[in-house]
Amino acid sequence: MKIQGEYVFDGPREEVWDLLRDPEVLATALPGTQSLTPVSENEYEGKMHVRVGPVSGAFSGRVIASNEAPPESYTLTVEGNGKAAFVKASGDVLLIDPGDGTTLMKYEGEFQVGGKLVSVGQRLIDSVSKRMLRHGLDTMNKALQERMLEVGD
Amino acid sequence: MNNLSTITVTVNGARYERTVEPRLLLSDFLRHELGLTGTHVGCEHGVCGACTIIFDGQPVRSCLMLAVQANGHEITTVEGLGTMDDLHPLQEAFREAHAVQCAFCTPGFLMTLVPFLEENPDPTEAEIREAISGNLCRCTGYQHIVDAVKLAAKKMSVGGES
Amino acid sequence: MTKKYLGQRMTRTEDPRLLTGQGLYVDDVEIHGMLYAAFLRSDYAHARIKSIDVSAARSRPGVVAVYTAEDLGDFWQHGPPLVPAPHSIEGVIFHSRTQVPLAKGKVRYVGEAVAVVYAESRYIAEDALEDIVVDYEPLEVAADLEKALEPDAPLVHEDLESNVASHLVQDKGDYAAAREKADLVIKRRFLIDRGAAGAMENRGVVAHWDEKSQYLTVWDTTQAPIPVRNGLANILGLSESQVRVIAPFVGGAFGPKIMMFLAEEVLVTWGAIKLNRPVKWIEDRRENFFATTQERGQIHDAEIAVTRDGRILGVSHTFLHDTGAYNPYGLTIPLNTQSHSMSGYDVANYHSELTVVFTNKMITTPVRGAGRPQGIYLMERLVDLAAKELGMDRVEIRKRNFIPPDAFPYNHQIIDQAFAPLHFDSGNYLATLEKATDMIGYEQFVKEEQPRLRAEGRHVGIGIVSFVETTGVGPYEGGRVTVEASGKISVATGVGTQGQGHFTSFAQVVADQLGVSPRDVRLVTGDTLEFHWGTGTFASRGSVVAANAIHAAAVNVRAKVLKLASKVLETPEEQLELVDGLVRVADTPQKSIGLGELAVLANPLRGAVEPGTEPGLESTDYYGPQYGATANGSHAMIIEVDPETMMVDIKRYVAVEDCGTMLNPLIVDGQVHGGVALGIGNSYYEQLIYDENGQLLNASLADYLIPTASEIPRMEVGHEETKSPLNELGSKGAGEAGCIPTPALFAQALEDALADYGIEITETPMSPNKLFELLHGKKFATNSTN
């Protein structure tokens, strides 16, 4: 499945970059995340609990950042496994400075899902994943705004 | 661990008291606890209708209910409809019209149709088809079932024995 | 001897039991101390198994045992191939790869069993499945039929050089030469995809091992209890006489329940012996989508060569057939496709190249139709397209090409699924088609009604197609008929019953011979203890092969009855008649003796008998046809399509069926109705959708749309009857007829209804989505075979 979109963050690129690489922020951003711990500089291990329609389950997995060109772009790879499903996703993230103090983030990637989730909840995956992503980005944007206020003080 | 619950259910006029796990499905309760295996299980996701029973007068999917939800309620299963020597007119009609092939879906159809015919004693073909559109049959193609319902309606009408 | 019951529209003897919920199905079997088995199935279509940790599952309270492939030790082995390679075709490539009880090393399809749990209840067993941790290393997936043949495609079986499971070529005449002479050659690609059988009862097995008497009893939703019993005895290291397999009432089968020795049948029985406790396994609906066999996936590149007046000179096609991850059922389905690719037409030149492909999907084995719908789809589509190009009426072009009634038996020369040259025994295809055109009012609709409705802006179309159906194949079946002391008759045969009414139709056959009511004939089917020679219920053969075996046995018993009665009544046999359970002298009816009394006399407790006499009034006989009987039919339909919603309203549906002598026309009608309903599902509502990772996306009845009473129209069934010369009863099979022509019929009718859009349909199943894409000129992306 292809996934792509845009999002406007209320802050400069350097701040957004730091935010995206902060495991604590990421952990609060993605709904259902129970823990996200760095394993090395570019790799995190995580545990999540996700519900899609009638199917829910625990997931454990890895998140890897690569091709980093701060503060412009990087590639994010996610691999997760659980009883309800397995997920493999990879996406390119591009941060653009439109010159007005905001950051335009563009993302484009692919993800594969398999398992019980897919066979029973297939129709919901599209909308649920978009909703989760949206929620995650909104949460991060809020965290960004708070940081900007702190900086501003 | 699941806490057990004691429930009392009236099935086909008889009262049963049993202790069950909260997660026990009503379909499993009827079939395996009470040994009333006439109600069949086809999907356990509420689509095929084979598990339909009459619950307080209404047709209900027993695979979507828990046994504990039936506590204090009245259920009729296919075993309560008629016996081999004394078939309900609807069962007679099914037989005459060859509306039964493998018969796995049949109890579900019967329990859906009994309340339907009570409310619609003289249904049209279109009304019948709509009424049974929640029951899947893979064997008959539905035609003889529709014929059976029309025949049953005639049999069950006041003064009617066809 | 009058035919009083054969051919009667009798209601079924078994119905009162079934209608009151008193029939025994496998899940109704309850045995004290029974364990429940549950299977952990792979979520990956293709992956290496790095490790499996069952420790948490084993320590769950209520769990008795958990096993993986490693735990099975020497017992772990590939299942037996059920159908071998055809020995009578030259140059066949055939790589046999059969399924395993539990995956070892790697998994090859979503749903493949990886571990088995035996627990005190189904609920606990399913809980324990969640405790098992499997570490998979995902591999690239070969899901697409064509991509699986590319040089760098992932290999389903790594010991093979490619995913080619089989390859063969069949030729009749010389297609290349015929093509040269043609005025028109039409080439098309046809895509056909998978559907599920979707029986309302899912599969199930209960096994009971009695340690003291060393006897295994198995209740199984199988269509073939005898081969299952023989195979299980072999697999489990038992004597055949130590194993009893019972197929009780079975809630519909439609093909997949004849697949044998999948993980569950093997491990439930093995587990019962190993754990010395009865074991039950009942499949749930979601499992059924993954773990029960299915079929139809093929891609055809085909051509037809015709003259300008519509005579077919030849047909040629190269096709791929999707066998899934293993091929235990051999080439039955694609051979059937080849046998039906010329349909009932007199085609002198035919070329067919078949490649069977392994993919990372569930195994394919016959589903009602079993490869025939694909062949008929091919031919009927090509004929329709030729008719269009030639500006010829579609009924007319068919009439010009039928095998004429005097050309039977017709030898098609190509090899069929029984590995013998394809023969059609009898038929009058023109009569069948004409009856269908009459019943639907073809001429009147095309000339008057359709133009009128079209002028009103409505999109109405008519479709009419013809087809043949090979039925009644061997090898053989058997039957035993016995007159009991009560005067009632008991009959046993090896085939099982899944709703076809054998208990009544076979009784009608016996009743006529013995002068009793069919209600006094008690039939047992599908119990190896009662009868242990035979193959099973498949390929529309019950009413041919089993019925004729029973008929032969009944004829023998009649002869014994007459011989003994003649002695007892001191009257020559010619003067005796069998009526109402009595043998009586024709003109002196008070001189009679009851069948029961005769039976007692035939089985004395004391005294001497003449050497060479057999006790009782009983006979066992067999019937094995030299080749199968060929039924035929013609279906027609008038539909209206809403080009906004893509919803299809079937206004009229006509099915004309010629299955020779009908044992019970009421039951035949039921079979035709059911077949048509499944065919309509196959044509417009149902498709098993796999994505490029071999994930099944619609594994529930909410997403896999089996038609309801709202989608299936009223069907008008007509009959023609060209008896089969191959058997005493003159019967041909009818079980699969309804669903064989439907996809071709839908394609034609949809094109006709939407003629103003000028669409061409070369894919089945169709769906509202696909129709939408076609109408809007977009090439739709199909998930599986394309």
Side-chain angles (χ1 to χ4, degrees):
Chain A
M1 253 180 277
K2 287 219 182 309
I3 187 168
Q4 68 180 50
E6 296 181 355
Y7 191 84
V8 176
F9 282 101
D10 298 316
R13 277 200 300 188
E14 293 72 22
E15 292 293 332
V16 175
W17 181 272
D18 286 340
L19 209 70
L20 288 172
R21 303 286 273 103
D22 184 339
E24 277 181 34
V25 172
L26 287 175
T28 50
L30 266 179
T33 305
Q34 284 160 343
S35 68
L36 195 62
T37 36
V39 165
S40 71
E41 213 197 293
N42 294 337
E43 197 174 315
Y44 306 92
E45 250 178 26
K47 290 210 187 308
M48 283 182 76
H49 193 98
V50 180
R51 164 176 293 274
V52 176
V55 183
S56 74
F59 282 80
S60 60
R62 295 184 318 157
V63 178
I64 303 164
S66 59
N67 296 336
E68 292 187 298
E72 255 187 45
S73 64
Y74 72 110
T75 303
L76 200 66
T77 308
V78 176
E79 278 174 20
N81 251 307
K83 294 296 155 46
F86 62 87
V87 172
K88 201 167 149 182
S90 182
D92 292 322
V93 177
L94 189 64
L95 299 178
I96 297 167
D97 179 359
D100 58 358
T102 63
T103 300
L104 174 63
M105 178 177 102
K106 286 192 178 182
Y107 54 89
E108 191 180 324
E110 281 204 14
F111 74 95
Q112 295 172 19
V113 196
K116 210 187 285 185
L117 198 68
V118 161
S119 63
V120 177
Q122 211 268 326
R123 278 172 293 148
L124 300 169
I125 288 178
D126 203 35
S127 54
V128 170
S129 57
K130 283 200 175 101
R131 190 160 43 86
M132 279 174 66
L133 192 57
R134 192 93 219 160
H135 180 97
L137 293 169
D138 283 343
T139 308
M140 287 200 283
N141 199 25
K142 257 194 217 109
L144 175 66
Q145 288 165 340
E146 273 161 31
R147 280 200 189 175
M148 294 305 296
L149 284 176
E150 283 169 25
V151 168
D153 279 351
Chain B
M1 274 319 291
N2 292 309
N3 296 315
L4 300 175
S5 232
T6 304
I7 60 172
T8 311
V9 194
T10 305
V11 185
N12 301 330
R15 271 178 99 246
Y16 297 90
E17 190 181 288
R18 292 285 192 277
T19 305
V20 299
E21 274 187 74
R23 62 178 180 164
L24 182 69
L25 297 175
L26 181 56
S27 45
D28 285 338
F29 175 74
L30 293 169
R31 289 177 49 74
H32 301 297
E33 264 302 314
L34 302 186
L36 296 167
T37 57
T39 304
H40 298 144
V41 173
C43 70
E44 286 180 328
H45 41 272
V47 177
C48 78
C51 67
T52 306
I53 50 145
I54 299 174
F55 186 90
D56 290 349
Q58 292 300 311
V60 150
R61 293 359 187 161
S62 62
C63 74
L64 290 182
M65 281 188 79
L66 301 170
V68 292
Q69 291 174 285
N71 186 27
H73 290 270
E74 275 192 42
I75 291 175
T76 311
T77 67
V78 67
E79 289 91 343
L81 206 55
T83 63
M84 285 195 276
D85 298 317
D86 187 19
L87 295 174
H88 185 280
L90 183 61
Q91 290 166 319
E92 264 299 340
F94 263 61
R95 181 188 192 193
E96 285 173 35
H98 184 42
V100 180
Q101 288 188 30
C102 81
F104 198 75
C105 71
T106 308
F109 272 90
L110 294 173
M111 306 323 275
T112 301
L113 287 165
V114 166
F116 170 71
L117 284 171
E118 269 166 29
E119 289 187 21
N120 301 273
D122 188 19
T124 62
E125 170 145 354
E127 284 166 349
I128 297 172
R129 284 183 181 269
E130 198 187 306
I132 59 172
S133 61
N135 294 72
L136 293 180
C137 174
R138 199 51 154 171
C139 292
T140 68
Y142 306 104
Q143 186 155 318
H144 285 156
I145 295 177
V146 174
D147 292 344
V149 179
K150 287 192 199 153
L151 184 60
K154 248 196 241 145
K155 283 177 190 279
M156 287 160 63
S157 66
V158 177
E161 246 310 323
S162 71
Chain C
M1 189 218 76
T2 46
K3 279 211 169 74
K4 192 170 162 196
Y5 293 107
L6 194 67
Q8 285 296 307
R9 297 177 76 90
M10 276 194 82
T11 61
R12 303 190 330 172
T13 309
E14 57 266 45
D15 283 357
R17 174 166 295 281
L18 295 169
L19 282 163
T20 51
Q22 300 302 312
L24 182 81
Y25 297 84
V26 173
D27 190 26
D28 302 342
V29 175
E30 295 284 342
I31 304 175
H32 179 72
M34 197 159 68
L35 293 174
Y36 296 80
F39 290 85
L40 183 68
R41 301 185 185 280
S42 169
D43 279 339
Y44 290 90
H46 202 199
R48 237 172 267 296
I49 302 173
K50 283 157 70 184
S51 67
I52 309 180
D53 181 0
V54 300
S55 50
R58 281 189 176 140
S59 52
R60 178 179 280 271
V63 171
V64 170
V66 182
Y67 299 123
T68 65
E70 306 301 326
D71 299 313
L72 301 180
D74 286 337
F75 180 68
W76 187 96
Q77 50 178 315
H78 287 262
L82 300 177
V83 182
H87 44 79
S88 34
I89 304 178
E90 275 194 48
V92 176
I93 296 174
F94 188 82
H95 301 292
S96 172
R97 292 289 180 275
T98 57
Q99 74 287 354
V100 296
L102 291 174
K104 193 189 257 193
K106 77 169 189 173
V107 289
R108 293 183 170 84
Y109 61 94
V110 170
E112 189 166 21
V114 163
V116 60
V117 171
Y118 302 90
E120 298 289 347
S121 81
R122 178 168 73 109
Y123 290 59
I124 296 174
E126 291 188 13
D127 285 345
L129 291 182
E130 306 267 308
D131 294 336
I132 303 175
V133 182
V134 185
D135 190 7
Y136 290 106
E137 181 196 312
L139 301 169
E140 291 287 306
V141 174
D144 179 280
L145 206 49
E146 288 182 292
K147 292 207 181 101
L149 290 176
E150 280 168 14
D152 54 347
L155 291 175
V156 178
H157 296 278
E158 279 149 31
D159 58 325
L160 294 175
E161 284 172 6
S162 73
N163 288 318
V164 172
S166 187
H167 181 267
L168 64 83
V169 174
Q170 295 223 60
D171 277 299
K172 177 186 181 189
D174 183 346
Y175 176 75
R179 195 180 193 280
E180 296 292 304
K181 299 203 198 88
D183 295 318
L184 176 67
V185 174
I186 295 182
K187 252 179 102 135
R188 287 295 187 279
R189 162 168 271 232
F190 296 104
L191 304 176
I192 303 170
D193 205 357
R194 295 184 177 216
M200 282 303 115
E201 183 197 26
N202 296 310
R203 289 184 301 135
V205 185
V206 174
H208 180 213
W209 171 248
D210 186 324
E211 177 66 29
K212 294 206 175 104
S213 46
Q214 292 282 296
Y215 196 78
L216 180 69
T217 308
V218 182
W219 290 262
D220 191 338
T221 55
T222 178
Q223 293 168 229
I226 296 171
V228 168
R229 173 258 220 175
N230 297 342
L232 281 178
N234 189 30
I235 290 170
L236 299 168
L238 297 171
S239 160
E240 283 170 11
S241 58
Q242 282 177 283
V243 182
R244 177 185 187 188
V245 175
I246 303 166
F249 282 107
V250 173
F254 313 111
K257 288 176 178 170
I258 206 168
M259 176 58 202
M260 303 175 228
F261 318 122
L262 286 169
E264 306 86 10
E265 235 166 27
V266 171
L267 291 172
V268 167
T269 49
W270 176 82
I273 298 175
K274 183 160 171 70
L275 302 170
N276 198 15
R277 284 184 64 180
V279 177
K280 175 187 271 193
W281 169 76
I282 304 295
E283 185 182 53
D284 70 30
R285 181 56 63 176
R286 197 179 144 262
E287 268 185 300
N288 181 272
F289 279 105
F290 297 120
T292 286
T293 57
Q294 43 195 246
E295 62 119 334
R296 296 270 199 267
Q298 292 181 352
I299 299 179
H300 293 254
D301 284 300
E303 14 179 289
I304 189 170
V306 292
T307 65
R308 69 173 57 83
D309 55 335
R311 270 294 283 134
I312 302 170
L313 295 178
V315 173
S316 168
H317 63 130
T318 305
F319 72 113
L320 303 180
H321 175 82
D322 182 353
T323 185
Y326 300 98
N327 60 351
Y329 224 84
L331 299 175
T332 300
I333 302 169
L335 285 175
N336 273 342
T337 302
Q338 292 180 324
S339 294
H340 291 74
S341 294
M342 289 178 271
S343 190
Y345 303 118
D346 192 359
V347 176
N349 304 287
Y350 173 76
H351 171 81
S352 174
E353 181 180 345
L354 160 69
T355 305
V356 179
V357 187
F358 285 122
T359 57
N360 289 118
K361 291 187 269 189
M362 184 51 184
I363 304 165
T364 59
T365 70
V367 173
R368 198 173 197 173
R372 299 175 187 75
Q374 292 93 315
I376 297 295
Y377 185 78
L378 183 75
M379 191 54 176
E380 292 300 278
R381 287 275 71 211
L382 287 171
V383 163
D384 283 341
L385 293 165
K388 244 188 222 161
E389 288 239 11
L390 293 171
M392 189 178 273
D393 175 71
R394 59 202 126 157
V395 171
E396 186 53 39
I397 194 172
R398 287 169 165 85
K399 288 184 177 176
R400 286 189 193 180
N401 285 287
F402 281 140
I403 298 167
D406 57 3
F408 292 94
Y410 184 90
N411 184 351
H412 260 304
Q413 295 167 34
I414 58 167
I415 301 295
D416 69 8
Q417 62 144 325
F419 307 152
L422 178 66
H423 276 84
F424 289 176
D425 62 342
S426 69
N428 187 341
Y429 305 147
L430 185 63
T432 307
L433 179 60
E434 283 181 338
K435 188 169 207 135
T437 52
D438 277 344
M439 284 176 73
I440 197 119
Y442 179 76
E443 293 278 334
Q444 204 244 3
F445 182 82
V446 170
K447 291 204 172 96
E448 294 166 27
E449 265 190 75
Q450 192 175 35
R452 182 175 53 81
L453 292 164
R454 278 178 169 161
E456 290 172 23
R458 293 170 65 176
H459 289 85
V460 287
I462 187 167
I464 182 155
V465 297
S466 285
F467 68 99
V468 293
E469 179 194 352
T470 56
T471 72
V473 292
Y476 74 94
E477 286 303 327
R480 183 183 65 244
V481 174
T482 313
V483 180
E484 293 187 345
S486 60
K488 294 213 178 7
I489 317 296
S490 77
V491 178
T493 180
V495 300
T497 310
Q498 308 89 32
Q500 305 92 332
H502 294 154
F503 305 104
T504 306
S505 54
F506 294 171
Q508 289 169 257
V509 171
V510 173
D512 275 347
Q513 289 298 320
L514 298 180
V516 296
S517 158
R519 305 295 186 215
D520 288 330
V521 178
R522 180 178 175 270
L523 234 111
V524 174
T525 68
D527 181 346
T528 61
L529 193 64
E530 290 279 333
F531 204 89
H532 61 265
W533 293 107
T535 48
T537 315
F538 59 96
S540 305
R541 63 199 288 276
S543 61
V544 179
V545 191
N548 274 287
I550 292 170
H551 173 79
V555 166
N556 297 342
V557 172
R558 180 187 170 84
K560 288 186 182 185
V561 165
L562 287 171
K563 186 163 174 211
L564 182 59
S566 168
K567 257 192 234 136
V568 170
L569 297 174
E570 293 169 328
T571 311
E573 284 186 32
E574 313 81 68
Q575 290 173 27
L576 296 174
E577 58 184 15
L578 275 67
V579 178
D580 293 339
L582 299 168
V583 188
R584 56 177 201 212
V585 182
D587 297 320
T588 336
Q590 56 271 43
K591 208 170 161 196
S592 69
I593 183 166
L595 282 179
E597 241 189 284
L598 258 183
V600 171
L601 288 173
N603 186 23
L605 283 170
R606 294 286 186 277
V609 297
E610 267 182 48
T613 10
E614 285 175 357
L617 296 170
E618 178 177 280
S619 172
T620 300
D621 213 335
Y622 301 92
Y623 171 71
Q626 199 188 6
Y627 54 89
T630 309
N632 75 86
S634 204
H635 286 204
M637 141 170 119
I638 294 175
I639 59 167
E640 180 162 6
V641 183
D642 181 336
E644 307 251 323
T645 63
M646 306 304 136
M647 290 321 285
V648 162
D649 182 14
I650 303 175
K651 300 276 189 215
R652 286 191 63 202
Y653 196 103
V654 162
V656 178
E657 170 66 18
D658 179 352
C659 58
T661 305
M662 290 186 277
L663 305 181
N664 181 328
L666 187 59
I667 291 178
V668 174
D669 282 352
Q671 291 297 307
V672 173
H673 291 172
V676 169
L678 190 139
I680 291 175
N682 268 169
S683 304
Y684 204 60
Y685 301 100
E686 299 176 42
Q687 181 175 347
L688 287 168
I689 301 185
Y690 285 86
D691 72 7
E692 68 275 7
N693 293 312
Q695 295 289 323
L696 181 58
L697 300 181
N698 56 345
S700 83
L701 292 178
D703 291 320
Y704 181 86
L705 305 176
I706 291 179
T708 70
S710 300
E711 285 79 50
I712 304 300
R714 184 154 279 276
M715 297 161 267
E716 300 157 60
V717 181
H719 291 289
E720 284 288 315
E721 199 176 288
T722 54
K723 294 192 199 301
S724 172
L726 298 174
N727 62 71
E728 283 287 321
L729 295 172
S731 58
K732 301 179 180 178
E736 292 165 278
C739 71
I740 289 172
T742 0
L745 181 64
F746 251 83
Q748 197 201 96
L750 283 172
E751 282 179 1
D752 193 49
L754 297 162
D756 51 339
Y757 287 83
I759 57 168
E760 191 177 280
I761 295 174
T762 52
E763 171 165 346
T764 182
M766 282 300 292
S767 69
N769 276 11
K770 288 183 192 171
L771 195 57
F772 178 88
E773 305 270 312
L774 259 187
L775 289 187
H776 290 77
K778 297 184 194 128
K779 182 89 181 69
F780 47 81
T782 48
N783 289 300
S784 311
T785 51
N786 193 8

